[in-house]
Amino acid sequence: MALTDFDLALFGGSGDLAMRKLLPALYNRERCRDIPSTARIICIGRHEWSREAFLTEVEKNAKPHIASGNFSEAAWNAFCARINYVALDAMNPASYQALVDAMRQETTGINRVFYLATPPSLFATVCHNLAACGLATPNSRVVLEKPLGRDLASAKQINEEVGRVFAESQIFRIDHYLGKETVQNLLALRFGNVLFEPLWRREWISDVQITIAEELGVGNRLDYYDTAGALRDMLQNHLLQLLCIVAMEPPVAATPDAVRDEKLKVLRSLKRFTPHMLVQNVVRGQYRSGYVDGVAVPGYRKEPGANPGSRTETFVAVKAEIETWRWAGVPFYLRTGKRMADQLAEIVVRFKSIPHSIFAQPNSSFQPNSLIIRLQPDEGLQLNLMAKTPGDGMRLRPVELELDFRETFKQPRMEAYERLLLDVLRGQLTLFMRSDELEAAWEWVEPILNYWEQEGIEPMPYTSGTWGPAAASALIGRDGLQWREES
Ligand code: BG6
């Protein structure tokens, strides 16, 4: 579907996210000729840069994030030609006049989009100031980048304040994991095939593991990260969104509210943690020095500028349960961490063991079937089955059915932010969180945050380049299981 002409105002336009992800994503769409010829991108920041000086920044900081195979001088020049820069103090209503001047006033046939890649503390002020200067119209859209609050109260406040200016149908809360190709493929797998749905329940599934492991440390984001930690940064959003897509009931259609209603039901069915349960079911960790890919790296507390007594977690593992007829008794193990042994994101669905072996082999020598959905680094599906080994006799052993999406679909890929930006520009809300989803996710994680805070829980140390604290293996080990990478 061709895009309608647009004015995209990007708050935080000179920031890290804009340079690493948003501008490269928009450029890629330019290269694919998706961007209407008269569309404009207005980057907004505090620095008093001229347009030329800002474009030098874009050249220096955004261009290196474009894959070399995607680069075309002509497309890059066309892209830069539509970028403007406005210096603005987001807190000062008077300074919005510069933005008013930079945006087109008549909006017929032009979508007006405000992308807030700023700290959440600015969301309410920016929205109110946009309304005050007349830029927020009933058909404009606002995009909110995470973190969307730091607890339930602040998330509610953001929803309320932003909601005073924009209707829910105008608000796009981004979780970039929902824009990843394999997450979309999970929807295709579950609801485009008849094979899995009958098995997708407690009768046949023994447990589900969802892992997002990073080799990278905190990098240059310490200021933000030290106030957030892995739970707020990854679990409350990315991991819970993946869990929702795995666990939700089939929506009646792939429409925004049909999908979001089902995700909300999952979040509301998550078993609430009591302090007693938290001890057994949640692990908080923080990396110490070690080696990642053979390179020595410092511990979190020794990162440049770090607080040597910081209690911020860089790892979290949780055993979650969903209290529904479909999932009662099936543990969902979630974990994420920085400076781990490998860079990967995957969902592992393990099925139950065969009830009885008709072969000479005992039941215990059969590996239960499992389905691995790989999001990163490569995208694919792996179905683990048992098969007969060739030759005389009847011995069975595990085999893998592999589907590599890059091999199967040779066409160019789209980065998560490209897909999500296109959806914003088209007004398509399915892959964005609704206000009630956001609040339900905070409601579930809040007892963990409160417990850590009130009890002063120290994160458990783990050596960089490993799979996290030993307690994370014990968490799953208590159920007689292992994380896939440790089995
Ligand atoms: C972001 C987090 O949302 O996701 C980062 O703030 C994290 O800390 C990143 O590194 C991981 O995203 P991806 O797409 O690289 O797995």
Side-chain angles (χ1 to χ4, degrees):
M1 185 171 65
L3 290 182
T4 306
D5 192 8
F6 62 83
D7 273 1
L8 167 65
L10 179 49
F11 286 81
S14 57
D16 187 59
L17 185 77
M19 292 296 171
R20 275 189 312 114
K21 298 282 185 190
L22 304 177
L23 293 174
L26 288 162
Y27 160 81
N28 284 343
R29 290 299 97 204
E30 173 90 49
R31 169 129 165 84
C32 296
R33 300 178 198 282
D34 280 340
I35 310 258
S37 58
T38 47
R40 301 182 188 185
I41 300 166
I42 301 141
C43 293
I44 299 159
R46 274 170 306 179
H47 289 85
E48 290 291 340
W49 277 316
S50 63
R51 175 170 180 269
E52 286 62 39
F54 180 70
L55 286 178
T56 312
E57 293 295 307
V58 174
E59 187 87 18
K60 194 167 76 196
N61 299 323
K63 198 170 161 185
H65 295 285
I66 295 167
S68 52
N70 263 352
F71 191 76
S72 125
E73 201 66 41
W76 179 252
N77 291 339
F79 178 64
C80 290
R82 52 173 98 250
I83 298 181
N84 198 353
Y85 179 76
V86 167
L88 176 154
D89 170 6
M91 303 298 285
N92 176 7
S95 79
Y96 282 67
Q97 188 54 44
L99 181 58
V100 173
D101 296 341
M103 293 187 88
R104 284 174 281 184
Q105 299 313 302
E106 46 89 22
T107 51
T108 333
I110 302 171
N111 282 324
R112 208 178 247 180
V113 178
F114 302 100
Y115 196 122
L116 310 194
T118 65
S121 53
L122 287 180
F123 290 168
T125 313
V126 172
C127 290
H128 287 302
N129 286 339
L130 288 171
C133 69
L135 280 177
T137 53
N139 57 1
S140 49
R141 296 168 195 159
V142 65
V143 186
L144 305 181
E145 192 41 73
K146 71 176 265 280
L148 289 156
R150 52 176 291 104
D151 52 19
L152 179 59
S154 53
K156 275 189 168 162
Q157 198 181 353
I158 291 173
N159 282 341
E160 210 177 292
E161 295 291 335
V162 175
R164 284 186 210 279
V165 177
F166 296 100
E168 184 63 32
S169 58
Q170 298 174 273
I171 306 174
F172 292 71
R173 296 177 191 81
I174 282 222
D175 183 312
H176 78 278
Y177 263 71
L178 290 181
K180 289 190 188 267
E181 193 70 46
T182 325
V183 176
Q184 313 259 291
N185 246 310
L186 181 54
L187 289 172
L189 178 87
R190 285 198 60 196
F191 306 123
N193 296 288
V194 76
L195 274 186
F196 293 103
E197 182 51 25
L199 306 178
W200 212 255
R201 55 193 64 249
R202 65 191 302 281
E203 287 78 6
W204 298 105
I205 290 182
S206 78
D207 61 278
V208 177
Q209 298 179 14
I210 306 181
T211 297
I212 306 177
E214 296 182 89
E215 287 184 343
L216 292 173
V218 69
N220 56 8
R221 297 166 71 225
L222 198 103
D223 282 352
Y224 150 71
Y225 196 85
D226 206 49
T227 61
L231 188 144
R232 290 186 174 94
D233 188 49
M234 302 290 287
L235 177 74
Q236 185 273 343
N237 34 72
H238 306 327
L239 280 166
L240 283 186
Q241 286 296 318
L242 294 181
L243 174 134
C244 284
I245 305 276
V246 173
M248 71 184 183
E249 295 297 320
V252 289
T255 52
D257 279 338
V259 172
R260 299 187 304 175
D261 285 347
E262 296 308 334
K263 282 163 52 199
L264 179 64
K265 284 191 214 158
V266 174
L267 292 167
R268 290 200 172 144
S269 327
L270 282 167
K271 188 169 179 171
R272 307 283 129 179
F273 286 119
T274 59
H276 171 73
M277 285 162 63
L278 285 168
V279 180
Q280 295 281 315
N281 295 309
V282 181
V283 174
R284 182 183 206 199
Q286 190 188 63
Y287 63 79
R288 295 290 184 259
S289 60
Y291 288 84
V292 174
D293 268 348
V295 177
V297 294
Y300 179 75
R301 292 176 179 176
K302 300 255 172 65
E303 292 281 8
N307 164 7
S310 172
R311 274 200 193 135
T312 300
E313 77 285 354
T314 60
F315 174 96
V316 62
V318 173
K319 175 183 169 183
E321 286 176 68
I322 301 172
E323 297 183 296
T324 60
W325 274 46
R326 187 188 282 264
W327 293 118
V330 179
F332 283 73
Y333 303 100
L334 314 179
R335 69 176 167 164
T336 182
K338 296 206 183 280
R339 288 283 189 237
M340 301 214 14
D342 207 351
Q343 182 84 16
L344 66 90
E346 66 177 24
I347 300 165
V348 181
V349 179
R350 292 190 346 126
F351 293 89
K352 295 208 162 158
S353 306
I354 52 162
H356 163 70
S357 168
I358 62 165
F359 307 105
Q361 287 169 262
N363 272 16
S364 56
S365 67
F366 285 78
Q367 212 174 73
N369 299 133
S370 59
L371 176 68
I372 298 163
I373 301 142
R374 282 193 313 270
L375 281 67
Q376 284 167 189
D378 50 335
E379 298 161 352
L381 289 178
Q382 183 184 316
L383 183 60
N384 293 317
L385 304 169
M386 295 295 290
K388 179 190 171 299
T389 44
D392 195 17
M394 192 66 183
R395 297 293 302 170
L396 277 69
R397 72 167 179 80
V399 290
E400 296 164 1
L401 278 185
E402 268 282 341
L403 172 62
D404 180 329
F405 288 123
R406 278 182 196 270
E407 276 298 308
T408 309
F409 302 102
K410 299 263 196 271
Q411 60 257 53
R413 334 289 298 167
M414 240 192 227
E415 288 288 324
Y417 273 106
E418 287 178 62
R419 174 172 297 107
L420 295 174
L421 278 162
L422 283 182
D423 279 358
V424 170
L425 295 166
R426 289 184 183 125
Q428 173 55 257
L429 278 157
T430 311
L431 298 178
F432 299 84
M433 277 180 292
R434 213 168 48 191
S435 60
D436 47 7
E437 267 184 88
L438 174 71
E439 291 178 16
W442 277 116
E443 221 169 307
W444 185 69
V445 298
E446 197 158 70
I448 311 178
L449 290 168
N450 290 344
Y451 173 73
W452 287 349
E453 175 92 23
Q454 284 154 16
E455 303 295 320
I457 301 292
E458 280 282 334
M460 294 177 183
Y462 62 95
T463 306
S464 287
T466 65
W467 287 107
S473 311
L475 175 143
I476 191 166
R478 272 194 291 277
D479 297 334
L481 301 169
Q482 285 176 312
W483 295 104
R484 189 173 89 87
E485 289 71 25
E486 293 177 323
S487 56

